[in-house]
Amino acid sequence: MSYVEVPGAQVPIRMWTDPAGVEDVAMQQLRNVATLPWIKGLAVMPDVHYGKGATVGSVIAMRGAVCPAAVGVDIGCGMSAVKTSLTANDLPGDLSRFRSKIEQAIPVGRGMHDAPVDLGRLHGFPTAGWEDFWARFGGVAEAVRFRQERATKQMGSLGSGNHFIEFCLDDDGAVWLMLHSGSRNIGKELAEFHMGQAQKLPHNQGLVDRDLAVFIADTPQMAAYRNDLFWAQEYAKYNRAVMMALFQDVVRKEFKKARPVFEPVISCHHNYVAEERYEGMDLLVTRKGAIRAGSGEFGIIPGSMGTGSYIVKGLGNAASFQSASHGAGRKMSRNAAKKRFSTRDLMEQTRGVECRKDSGVIDEIPGAYKPIEKVMEQQRDLVEVVAHLKQVVCVKG
């Protein structure tokens, strides 16, 4: 489908989904965002749903301003994927040992490494800029600098919630590695600090929703936030890169006889801010639950832990600010999913996938998410499909 434009808004609200199917609270959030004085456009992805301040699945283009709550607390959250030379024929019948090896190599949940990962032991890991990156930590908000030790030990760890590591097969039987994570606790603390700072500023006192508090250009608060935001986005990118290197090491050891080879890694943020230019204006584009889909750019759009995912190429649609959805999107809250589904439902919906099937991950059950196929159908003018993947192993935080 092409987009539907919501009438009566201050700026165009372009929706790649049927507005009638969007929950009322999410529609109100979209209208609230459209009232901001700095807003220049709002694109709504087919996986849109209610979030803090702004909906998940929205692209907010502002001139001279940025809203930290619209970025969210997991700054730089995103995906990485890589195709391998392995095929379905290389896989053993029982993948439980392999899943255990992944979980041993990469801490999940709130876990962290006992000591910072030694990059020297990671096969071919690019370390250029690593020392400069950590030196810049001294310039982030003083309130979180004491977290550096934790941040170094969490580098290369998964986190919890909807974060995952997957071992997948495409429709031709080729094996792919894929993972989803962000900036861990350090990104969360930086986000929460700056959200609190923004809410104190005089220009934010008359907003319809205090969570829409913004920083504006050419102020010390904006400069401080941009510094910390871009550092956290880089942390998230490095975090995925370290995890992918650890994941590849596990694959090399477990499939030694097959001598696996890996293609270049595809990586994309889906909770972040970028400086981009549209219609002659320099804008700050916030993608909250959306990926950049510039012409020919690779992206990753995952489904839930029992369905499938897609590797895509962007079509560069300017109406969406060159964006696409970041996944299937939730259709019910975590609490609602826990009340509605049982472990038996989880086992049924993840049949054929080596993964956790206990009560601790019921909130991530496939039934709590929108159908990924429908989401993909609604954004045919935003991306083209390169590969369809189906997981055979899924490690959840």
Side-chain angles (χ1 to χ4, degrees):
M1 66 175 286
S2 186
Y3 64 84
V4 175
E5 192 162 314
V6 178
Q10 173 180 309
V11 295
I13 302 178
R14 303 179 183 124
M15 302 188 68
W16 274 260
T17 189
D18 181 0
V22 179
E23 55 201 325
D24 291 343
V25 287
M27 282 301 301
Q28 188 57 55
Q29 283 188 315
L30 294 170
R31 292 186 183 279
N32 289 347
V33 169
T35 67
L36 294 174
W38 310 272
I39 191 81
K40 295 300 177 183
L42 181 56
V44 185
M45 301 296 103
D47 59 340
V48 62
H49 58 278
Y50 178 77
K52 182 177 175 63
T55 60
V56 178
S58 57
V59 183
I60 302 165
M62 289 199 281
R63 190 172 191 179
V66 66
C67 172
V71 183
V73 294
D74 195 357
I75 298 171
C77 185
M79 301 285 304
S80 293
V82 60
K83 187 178 182 180
T84 80
S85 59
L86 298 173
T87 70
N89 295 330
D90 294 312
L91 309 189
D94 183 358
L95 288 163
S96 58
R97 167 193 155 95
F98 179 56
R99 176 163 76 95
S100 296
K101 292 294 184 181
I102 298 170
E103 292 168 342
Q104 289 170 22
I106 302 172
V108 302
R110 295 188 177 184
M112 65 186 82
H113 295 278
D114 294 333
V117 175
D118 179 4
L119 301 186
R121 71 178 181 85
L122 297 181
H123 189 276
F125 189 87
T127 57
W130 187 252
E131 290 185 6
D132 174 65
F133 166 74
W134 281 113
R136 284 164 40 215
F137 186 79
V140 304
E142 187 176 356
V144 302
R145 284 182 211 157
F146 72 103
R147 294 295 194 189
Q148 182 165 5
E149 182 180 0
R150 174 188 274 191
T152 58
K153 291 181 178 179
Q154 284 193 323
M155 177 68 77
S157 64
L158 185 63
S160 54
N162 61 357
H163 293 164
F164 62 78
I165 301 168
E166 289 185 343
F167 195 67
C168 309
L169 295 174
D170 67 19
D171 293 342
D172 296 324
V175 170
W176 288 69
L177 315 184
M178 188 165 68
L179 56 85
H180 170 210
S181 191
S183 54
R184 303 295 283 109
N185 187 70
I186 192 64
K188 174 179 180 291
E189 294 210 2
L190 283 169
E192 290 176 342
F193 170 78
H194 286 289
M195 286 158 62
Q197 295 297 106
Q199 289 178 357
K200 299 174 186 176
L201 297 173
H203 63 261
N204 290 318
Q205 300 315 304
L207 299 175
V208 294
D209 181 349
R210 69 192 302 266
D211 284 330
L212 292 179
V214 305
F215 294 115
I216 55 177
D218 302 319
T219 63
Q221 295 90 351
M222 171 68 110
Y225 178 61
R226 283 168 61 105
N227 176 76
D228 294 2
L229 170 73
F230 292 141
W231 184 88
Q233 288 178 184
E234 199 170 346
Y235 181 102
K237 185 177 179 180
Y238 272 127
N239 184 43
R240 290 195 296 275
V242 172
M243 273 194 289
M244 185 59 80
L246 292 169
F247 193 5
Q248 289 178 348
D249 279 354
V250 173
V251 172
R252 285 189 185 92
K253 291 172 184 173
E254 293 300 301
F255 296 91
K256 189 181 298 184
K257 290 183 180 178
R259 296 181 178 178
V261 176
F262 304 94
E263 292 190 4
V265 176
I266 299 167
S267 184
C268 60
H269 290 322
H270 56 223
N271 278 11
Y272 76 113
V273 177
E275 299 169 322
E276 298 177 3
R277 189 171 178 82
Y278 295 94
E279 298 179 358
M281 290 184 290
D282 292 322
L283 302 177
L284 286 165
V285 178
T286 298
R287 295 184 175 91
K288 181 173 184 175
I291 63 170
R292 180 174 162 84
S295 181
E297 294 178 358
F298 282 100
I300 307 163
I301 303 177
S304 63
M305 65 187 285
T307 55
S309 300
Y310 291 86
I311 306 297
V312 299
K313 269 188 181 178
L315 296 177
N317 191 323
S320 71
F321 299 101
Q322 300 189 80
S323 305
S325 80
H326 84 312
R330 298 191 73 91
K331 67 180 181 182
M332 66 178 68
S333 69
R334 295 185 183 279
N335 286 336
K338 289 176 183 177
K339 290 176 182 176
R340 177 168 178 179
F341 297 109
S342 66
T343 52
R344 180 176 293 182
D345 295 324
L346 180 64
M347 292 176 71
E348 180 62 30
Q349 293 182 31
T350 59
R351 188 183 300 276
V353 181
E354 172 57 44
C355 63
R356 286 178 60 186
K357 301 178 190 284
D358 58 82
S359 60
V361 292
I362 285 180
D363 56 340
E364 283 295 302
I365 192 170
Y369 285 82
K370 297 176 183 179
I372 185 64
E373 294 79 14
K374 183 178 180 180
V375 168
M376 296 304 298
E377 175 66 21
Q378 291 175 313
Q379 55 184 340
R380 285 183 300 168
D381 61 336
L382 303 183
V383 294
E384 61 176 331
V385 173
V386 173
H388 170 249
L389 312 183
K390 176 67 175 74
Q391 67 271 73
V392 291
V393 176
C394 176
V395 173
K396 295 293 292 186

